[in-house]
Amino acid sequence: MIYVTGERLLPHQVRAATFDTRWRGLDPDQVHAYLNRLADEFDRLHRDLTTANTEAERIRQALRQWQSRHTACRPTVPDQSPNNRWQR
């Protein structure tokens, strides 16, 4: 990731970026159009990341609940399990 001052670059920062003008410089309209496109992509990726993190947390909580409900199902001695195929 690219960090400007140790913090993440956000879409509104890309949209608000300004540049010094130079003689024979870049076309400002093209630069701003590209920055807007880049900011839109940052925005989409940020939303996707937020969605993925939310879903991952939901799955972690569901797994914890499932594990809590099924702790009594675990055999205390592995060799006495009825499903144990490999006897020692």
Side-chain angles (χ1 to χ4, degrees):
M1 297 206 150
I2 298 174
Y3 294 92
V4 177
T5 59
E7 295 180 17
R8 291 184 178 184
L9 189 60
L10 299 173
H12 74 274
Q13 292 170 316
V14 174
R15 285 189 179 95
T18 58
F19 302 93
D20 295 336
T21 54
R22 300 273 191 253
W23 185 68
R24 292 186 176 205
L26 299 173
D27 180 5
D29 292 335
Q30 287 181 345
V31 170
H32 288 292
Y34 185 77
L35 289 175
N36 282 329
R37 183 175 164 201
L38 183 62
D40 290 342
E41 182 66 11
F42 271 135
D43 197 30
R44 184 189 65 78
L45 290 171
H46 182 63
R47 283 192 314 271
D48 289 350
L49 180 61
T50 301
T51 301
N53 285 336
T54 302
E55 180 67 6
E57 183 57 31
R58 185 192 66 75
I59 291 170
R60 274 192 292 276
Q61 289 176 0
L63 177 59
R64 281 190 214 109
Q65 290 173 356
W66 184 89
Q67 288 172 330
S68 295
R69 284 193 310 264
H70 291 85
T71 54
C73 297
R74 291 189 210 155
T76 54
V77 179
D79 290 337
Q80 294 177 354
S81 172
N83 295 325
N84 191 357
R85 292 189 211 169
W86 296 281
Q87 299 298 322
R88 293 184 188 183

